[in-house]
Amino acid sequence: MLSQAHENSERLGVTPRVILLSLGVIAALSPAAFYGEILFGATYEFGSGVPSMAALAVLFLVAALNQLVSGLGRSGLRRREILALYAIIAVGAPLVSHGILLNMFSTPIFQHYLARAIPSWQTTFLHHMPSWFSVTDAAAVDAYFEGGASVPWSLWWAPLTAWTSFMLALYLASLFLVVLLRRQWINHERLSFPLAQIPLAVVRAADAENRGRLPVSGVFWIGFLVSCSITSVNRLASVYPAIPNIPLAGVTIIPWNPVGPLAGLGAWELWVVPWMIAVAYLIPKELSFSCWFFWLVRIGLTVAAITAGATPQRPEEWWGSEFPAPTFQGGGAVLAVALWVLWTARRHTKHAFLSIFTRGSAADVGEPLPYRWALLGFLVCSAYLVCFYWVAGCRLQAGLI
């Protein structure tokens, strides 16, 4: 099995030097992301739901340096190694970003800090929280938010270990599930995976050794430089007001009318976002259609609700559970899509499970991990998550759900 895993890692480009290089890049990007996000608001876009700009920037930089090193006669990274480097950074960088780490650390300890102003919290729900959820020492809680003190590592080891294990189990469970469904998504449903399309199209094989290089098409570089220049200028303008801004986003066409049912239309603004236009070319037309069609449905429902007597407000500000309850409908839509994904994959899933118990089955040939090991890993990680809920004080039924 070890030899097969080593062979798969070589075939996929996950070599030791790629792992070390990607971890070094992530370690360098993490403090840079915190510094840029917190002090300047110039986020690396790690945790805000858009393509990882830092990962794409690293992809371009590594491919360019690799081309230079190869031109000097030295052994550069192969194309698969550069793509593996991009994949590791695109997944790993958000995990150590402001958008995830800050929420993971601050949310549990914030409850204890705010309880100073709301004493009833101590008797209502804080005493139900396990002591290892976060630091509970009063001085350490104050120091976390007010600064001026060194980190009390002895108090942090328990919550850090607990939540790191939870995040690791959650990530591995998702990864094992992806391994089980990968062939269904790629071969049968032929999903396009826009974030994978970009590096696959950008990084090309330069020679017989498959060393990666950037494309040489002039049209590509014109489009890249125009988009990159506009984005860079607007980013710098947000930090240094003396630099003129290029007005591509937020141009109001119809202002918001706060009175009457037409308030449900919100403000109609023109946003020209270069990366979003690029991704729109890569995603299926059905998905593009759904994006704007269901937004129009949301606007229509908001107008209907205001007409029926609801308080006038913008559709994007409607967070309540009253009709049309768009966030609740969105949550239900996500669950419905998940069930539909499992239903459409029922035949593949059936064959995958049967191959687990069939000796000599070729159903998982070419997969990065045999199906039986992927299923075992998924069950083990899921069991750990359920145990985590149970040890934390939740009912077993809630953990299973």
Side-chain angles (χ1 to χ4, degrees), residues 15-332:
T15 57
R17 63 178 179 175
V18 167
I19 295 176
L20 292 176
L21 180 59
S22 60
L23 292 178
V25 171
I26 291 174
L29 288 176
S30 179
F34 271 80
Y35 191 85
E37 289 175 344
I38 295 176
L39 293 185
F40 297 110
T43 174
Y44 275 97
E45 311 291 9
F46 279 155
S48 57
V50 302
S52 179
M53 297 296 107
L56 289 174
V58 170
L59 175 74
F60 273 83
L61 180 61
V62 170
L65 292 176
N66 191 64
Q67 192 168 347
L68 177 62
V69 169
S70 300
L72 297 176
R74 298 183 179 274
S75 176
L77 295 173
R78 290 174 297 167
R79 179 174 183 265
R80 289 179 177 179
E81 290 179 306
I82 296 179
L83 296 177
L85 175 72
Y86 165 80
I88 295 174
I89 295 175
V91 174
L95 295 179
V96 294
S97 71
H98 165 269
I100 292 182
L101 280 186
L102 180 65
N103 291 330
M104 188 175 71
F105 289 149
S106 299
T107 300
I109 196 173
F110 170 75
Q111 319 298 334
H112 295 277
Y113 187 72
L114 196 59
R116 315 290 178 81
I118 313 176
S120 61
W121 281 20
Q122 295 286 355
T123 57
T124 53
F125 73 91
L126 279 183
H127 69 283
H128 293 294
M129 294 175 60
S131 59
W132 47 268
F133 256 38
S134 67
V135 174
T136 57
D137 180 77
V141 171
D142 290 340
Y144 179 85
F145 290 97
E146 300 170 7
S150 59
V151 179
W153 290 109
S154 60
L155 301 177
W156 274 101
W157 285 122
L160 283 177
T161 302
W163 288 110
T164 300
S165 68
F166 178 87
M167 294 286 289
L168 182 62
L170 181 62
Y171 171 75
L172 289 177
S174 303
L175 181 62
F176 290 132
L177 191 60
V178 167
V179 170
L180 291 171
L181 295 173
R182 186 198 69 88
R183 182 167 294 177
Q184 164 70 17
W185 292 342
I186 296 179
N187 294 354
H188 301 301
E189 298 185 21
R190 298 188 179 277
L191 300 183
S192 58
F193 301 105
L195 290 184
Q197 295 278 348
I198 298 173
L200 287 173
V202 167
V203 181
R204 308 293 179 87
D207 48 34
E209 297 182 8
N210 289 323
R211 287 180 288 196
R213 66 163 176 81
L214 291 174
V216 294
S217 171
V219 175
F220 167 81
W221 285 110
I222 292 174
F224 172 77
L225 291 176
V226 169
S227 174
C228 184
S229 300
I230 293 174
T231 304
S232 300
V233 168
N234 286 343
R235 283 294 183 189
L236 290 173
S238 65
V239 180
Y240 305 103
I243 299 177
N245 184 43
I246 302 176
L248 293 181
V251 178
T252 302
I253 301 175
I254 301 177
W256 178 54
N257 180 14
V259 180
L262 292 182
L265 296 177
W268 289 55
E269 299 177 342
L270 177 64
W271 288 73
V272 182
V273 185
W275 69 260
M276 191 177 295
I277 296 174
V279 171
Y281 277 98
L282 299 174
I283 63 177
K285 59 181 181 299
E286 294 86 358
L287 184 57
S288 295
F289 172 81
S290 298
C291 288
W292 64 263
F293 175 77
F294 286 105
W295 173 250
L296 293 179
V297 171
R298 178 174 180 175
I299 291 177
L301 293 176
T302 306
V303 171
I306 297 175
T307 303
T311 302
Q313 56 185 321
R314 295 180 176 91
E316 60 270 17
E317 296 175 351
W318 206 288
W319 299 101
S321 58
E322 65 277 2
F323 179 83
T327 55
F328 293 86
Q329 289 196 51

